[in-house]
Amino acid sequence: MKKIICITGASSGFGEACAYKFSVNNCNLIITGRREDKLNALKKTLEEKFGNLVHVLSFDVSDRSAVNRAFSSLPEEWKKIDLLLNNAGLALGRDNFDEASLDDWDTMIDTNLKGLLYVSKAVLPFMIPHRSGHIINIGSTAAKQVYQKGNVYCATKHAVLAVSEAMRIDLLQHKIKVTVINPGAAETEFSLVRLKQDVKEAKKVYEGYEPLHAEDIAEVVYFAASLPAHVCINELEITCLAQANSFYLHKD
């Protein structure tokens, strides 16, 4: 029987790359996100290219009622979710604490932390009866070091790390794995969203070095997901060669 992989934030970036990676490895997918048109286009492409089934759920992870409605609507044959990839997340603004937008803070907390909690709580009832499953949470190197003008974004990723550790402890009794993957600088829509669609400034973030690519993270996610049942990677931190951590980045 093919595994069912549920990916949040699948319409672009890490989520989209992971959808391709799991599809090419013969998995059926539940893909979620806010941009239903992109999700439907991805579904069509994946089903035609790889012959696996894809189910689309369009909702905002920060909307608890919408999350619960979406997963309650799943047909019975889609409820045996083997892996949940909590990928949906974002950074908004890069401002000193006293100058930052409260709306940006709310959006980051609601998406990066509360969204992860809502989706995990909605999916766990499908895993627990089978005494198996795997939750992979996408964190950040910002979970390890706080940097200037990163304030609340860093706080949300520190929280993702803490929640992942707590989940791992509490879900031991159900034989459910929990992994957190902390990527460094990666060229996706991340900086474009953070800098509020300022294309010129977003491009500057990745000048002078080769950053991680979404496909790099997909490779690591798939590796963590494909280990033997008794093996769990608890945490991984991944950077490009030019980056040592949140502070040190060498540009040519």
Side-chain angles (χ1 to χ4, degrees), residues 154-221:
C154 294
T156 63
K157 291 304 184 177
H158 274 67
V160 167
L161 181 57
V163 166
S164 299
E165 292 175 359
M167 291 169 72
R168 191 176 305 116
I169 295 166
D170 293 344
L171 298 177
L172 278 177
Q173 62 183 316
H174 302 300
K175 299 185 181 296
I176 293 171
K177 300 181 185 185
V178 179
T179 300
V180 59
I181 293 176
N182 294 318
E187 189 168 12
T188 62
E189 291 183 351
F190 178 86
S191 288
L192 191 61
V193 171
R194 181 174 217 168
L195 298 171
K196 302 183 180 180
Q197 307 305 310
D198 188 329
V199 175
K200 185 177 179 181
E201 288 301 310
K203 284 183 177 179
K204 286 182 182 178
V205 174
Y206 307 110
E207 288 178 352
Y209 69 103
E210 183 176 5
L212 293 171
H213 305 289
E215 292 76 16
D216 301 325
I217 301 305
E219 290 288 341
V220 175
V221 168

Side-chain angles (χ1 to χ4, degrees), residues 44-107:
K44 183 174 185 293
T45 298
L46 295 178
E47 289 185 336
E48 288 177 356
K49 285 188 75 169
F50 306 116
N52 302 308
L53 299 177
V54 179
H55 187 81
V56 169
L57 293 177
S58 180
F59 60 87
D60 185 336
V61 296
S62 69
D63 184 335
R64 179 168 50 168
S65 296
V67 171
N68 291 333
R69 283 196 304 271
F71 285 100
S72 296
S73 76
L74 276 177
E76 198 63 35
E77 63 271 21
W78 282 100
K79 289 183 178 179
K80 175 60 174 73
I81 295 173
D82 296 280
L83 183 143
L84 167 63
L85 175 60
N86 278 313
N87 165 72
L90 78 168
L92 280 178
R94 189 153 186 180
D95 308 292
N96 286 317
F97 189 92
D98 55 305
E99 300 168 328
S101 161
L102 290 173
D103 289 338
D104 287 350
W105 284 359
D106 282 344
T107 300

Side-chain angles (χ1 to χ4, degrees), residues 94 141 145-148 184-185 209 237-251:
R94 189 153 186 180
T141 51
Q145 300 101 14
V146 176
Y147 52 83
Q148 186 181 18
Y209 69 103
E237 184 174 357
I238 305 149
T239 65
C240 63
L241 181 60
Q243 184 179 21
N245 55 33
S246 289
F247 298 116
Y248 297 103
L249 181 68
H250 178 75
K251 294 190 178 188

Side-chain angles (χ1 to χ4, degrees), residues 101-127:
S101 161
L102 290 173
D103 289 338
D104 287 350
W105 284 359
D106 282 344
T107 300
M108 287 187 282
I109 292 168
D110 289 347
T111 304
N112 299 355
L113 179 56
K114 292 164 73 174
L116 181 150
L117 297 175
Y118 296 158
V119 174
S120 299
K121 283 283 281 184
V123 168
L124 276 170
F126 304 146
M127 293 182 172

